[in-house]
């Protein structure tokens, strides 16, 4: 199919990379984002070799690398802080680093700017009230009272996808794992040139994202899925570090601003049936949200975008393209969801502990395979 009119619901990582890929293929693309400020978390994100490869294919690699910090290994520590393994990361594009740490704001700026420069129509503060697929096209009604017709619609609207609810109201809901993650930006010490992972019931990691900054993440058991008030959030995060490795405990002195703490309960979902209905299809967290233990949530969404754009170009109907996209993506995404959840459950004592070094090496091997 060529020259299709495509609506993308959701202006996050998956939606924007889909827009870039589809515009490069010559399609007419509209991106809507319900948040009028188009805001993102103020912490960072880990991007691995498969994402470096994808960003190269998308044509954004130079701006992307300039906005973050490249590194070629993962250092794995025991709960007491002792280094127990260094896992080299494969360079999937030889001239570029194997991994990148980048702030989410910087990544959003790179993708958002490229989406607009590519000619996509980006509309903020816009949400959908109805989707009517009559087989020949899709009529979409918007909350402002307007409506528009498209050849196909892509739901890239995240874990709590309203598009998924419309397509598959009987589908499983996101499931709380029993664990949450805390994130905070802190000064980056000289010489920190890798992702540092700390095992244990309270997991932790250090990720460089700029010359001056890294972020610390801490995964904690949270029975009952409590909600922490904004006031006192920094103190609550510091309290989670008590008894941790000395390097992690020392970071507590830098965690002082309640507004800069990002706390998120870890929830997962995997849609095991079709990812589309008619001319409407889902990608990213809307169909395969994972815990962050392997650092591949965004990577899977980015790969979805490339594969979806590729399959749309290969087939004569949306249904054929969407089925082929699902068939190429399902096993890979299921592996990431299941393997990440296994680490989570091991940390919670709900399953045998997982060796992070082994799991990380296996993940690098799997994601190095073509998409």
């Amino acid at each position: 199919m060529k020259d299709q009119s495509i609506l993308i619901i959701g202006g996050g990582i998956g939606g924007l990379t889909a827009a870039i890929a589809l515009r490069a293929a010559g399609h007419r693309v509209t991106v809507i984002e319900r948040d009028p400020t188009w805001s993102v978390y103020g912490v960072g994100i880990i991007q691995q070799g498969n994402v470096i490869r994808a960003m190269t294919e998308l044509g954004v690699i130079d701006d992307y690398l300039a906005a973050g910090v490249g590194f070629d290994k993962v250092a794995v520590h025991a709960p007491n802080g002792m280094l127990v393994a260094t896992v080299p990361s494969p360079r999937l594009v030889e001239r570029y680093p194997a991994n990148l740490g980048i702030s989410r704001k910087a990544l959003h700026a790179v993708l958002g700017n490229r989406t607009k420069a590519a000619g996509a129509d980006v509309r903020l503060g816009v949400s959908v009230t109805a989707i009517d697929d009559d087989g020949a096209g899709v009529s979409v009604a918007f909350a402002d009272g307007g409506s528009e017709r498209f050849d196909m619609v892509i739901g890239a609207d995240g874990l709590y996808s309203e598009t998924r609810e419309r397509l598959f109201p009987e589908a499983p809901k996101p499931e709380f794992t029993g664990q949450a993650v805390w994130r905070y930006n802190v000064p980056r010490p000289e010489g920190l040139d890798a992702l540092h992972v700390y095992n244990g019931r309270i997991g932790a990691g250090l990720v460089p994202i700029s010359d001056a900054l890294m972020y610390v993440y801490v995964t904690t058991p949270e029975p009952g899925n409590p909600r922490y008030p904004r006031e006192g959030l920094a103190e609550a995060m510091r309290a989670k570090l008590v008894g941790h490795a000395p390097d992690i405990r020392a970071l507590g002195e830098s965690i002082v601003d309640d507004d800069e703490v990002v706390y998120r309960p870890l929830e997962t979902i995997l849609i095991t049936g079709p990812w589309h209905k008619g001319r409407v299809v889902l990608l990213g967290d809307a169909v395969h949200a994972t815990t962050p233990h392997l650092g591949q949530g965004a990577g899977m969404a980015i790969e979805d975008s490339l594969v979806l754009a590729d399959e749309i170009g290969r087939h004569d109907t949306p249904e054929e393209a969407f089925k082929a996209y699902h068939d190429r993506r399902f096993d890979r995404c299921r592996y990431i969801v299941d393997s990440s959840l296994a680490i989570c459950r091991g940390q919670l004592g709900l399953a045998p502990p997982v060796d992070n070094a082994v799991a990380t090496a296996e993940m690098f091997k799997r994601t190095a395979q073509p998409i």
Side-chain angles (χ1 to χ4, degrees):
M1 292 175 287
K2 297 181 179 179
D3 191 28
Q4 298 290 290
S5 173
I6 302 174
L7 173 67
I8 299 174
I9 302 172
I13 293 171
L16 294 178
T17 51
I20 295 166
L22 289 165
R23 282 296 302 144
H27 302 292
R28 289 163 285 140
V29 177
T30 300
V31 179
I32 62 169
E33 167 55 47
R34 67 186 311 154
D35 179 3
T37 66
W38 213 7
S39 58
V40 295
Y41 286 129
V43 290
I45 189 170
I46 305 163
Q47 309 260 262
Q48 292 147 340
N50 58 314
V51 182
I52 306 292
R53 178 176 60 193
M55 292 300 189
T56 304
E57 186 173 339
L58 283 169
V60 302
I61 189 67
D62 291 338
D63 290 345
Y64 170 70
L65 291 178
V69 175
F71 54 92
D72 290 339
K73 59 188 177 182
V74 178
V76 180
H77 300 257
N80 64 4
M82 182 178 70
L83 180 66
V84 295
T86 299
V87 183
S89 310
R91 288 191 174 206
L92 302 188
V93 182
E94 183 57 36
R95 64 186 182 275
Y96 299 136
N99 310 285
L100 192 80
I102 186 171
S103 84
R104 287 180 177 266
K105 289 181 179 179
L107 176 60
H108 179 74
V110 168
L111 297 178
N113 289 340
R114 182 56 62 94
T115 296
K116 290 185 285 188
D121 179 12
V122 178
R123 307 175 189 174
L124 303 181
V126 177
S127 59
V128 170
T129 57
I131 297 175
D132 179 19
D133 179 354
D134 61 17
V138 187
S139 297
V140 180
F142 301 110
D144 63 2
S147 64
E148 199 164 338
R149 192 162 173 83
F150 301 90
D151 293 314
M152 61 187 78
V153 173
I154 298 171
D157 46 346
L159 179 65
Y160 297 105
S161 170
E162 292 183 359
T163 312
R164 182 186 67 233
E165 288 292 316
R166 288 190 171 95
L167 290 187
F168 307 117
E170 74 287 352
K173 309 304 180 188
E175 182 177 353
F176 177 56
T177 63
Q179 195 178 60
V181 64
W182 307 69
R183 298 184 177 100
Y184 196 89
N185 288 338
V186 297
R188 175 188 173 191
E190 186 176 352
L192 189 125
D193 60 354
L195 163 61
H196 287 256
V197 175
Y198 292 75
N199 289 330
R201 187 165 183 266
I202 306 293
L206 309 176
V207 186
I209 57 173
S210 74
D211 290 341
L213 288 176
M214 66 179 181
Y215 77 90
V216 56
Y217 67 81
V218 182
T219 54
T220 59
E222 300 292 341
N225 197 9
R227 290 296 186 265
Y228 291 85
R230 173 59 55 185
E231 184 177 355
L233 203 53
E235 181 180 359
M237 183 176 180
R238 289 196 303 271
K240 301 294 182 178
L241 307 184
V242 173
H244 215 295
D247 288 350
I248 301 299
R249 286 202 311 270
L251 295 173
E253 298 178 4
S254 300
I255 300 172
V256 295
D257 188 339
D258 292 338
D259 291 331
E260 294 300 314
V261 177
V262 175
Y263 173 81
R264 183 169 71 88
L266 296 184
E267 299 171 285
T268 66
I269 191 170
L270 179 64
I271 302 302
T272 56
W275 291 355
H276 80 281
K277 182 178 286 186
R279 290 174 171 266
V280 185
V281 66
L282 304 169
L283 64 74
D285 282 356
V287 278
H288 52 72
T290 180
T291 66
H293 296 84
L294 288 174
Q296 277 288 339
M300 291 299 100
I302 292 166
E303 288 186 351
D304 283 354
S305 300
L306 287 170
V307 172
L308 181 56
D310 183 45
E311 293 297 344
I312 288 171
R314 290 172 179 265
H315 294 277
D316 295 328
T317 69
E319 290 84 352
E320 292 172 338
F322 297 162
K323 182 181 184 303
Y325 149 73
H326 170 273
D327 291 347
R328 281 175 65 180
R329 294 300 298 153
F330 181 76
D331 285 346
R332 190 177 180 99
C333 295
R334 178 174 59 182
Y335 159 72
I336 291 296
V337 171
D338 289 349
S339 298
S340 300
L341 186 57
I343 298 173
C344 173
R345 289 177 61 81
Q347 290 177 344
L348 290 171
L350 301 175
V354 174
D355 185 321
N356 267 23
V358 172
T360 299
E362 175 65 17
M363 179 272 295
F364 285 143
K365 180 180 178 181
R366 293 283 195 103
T367 57
Q369 298 302 310
I371 61 172

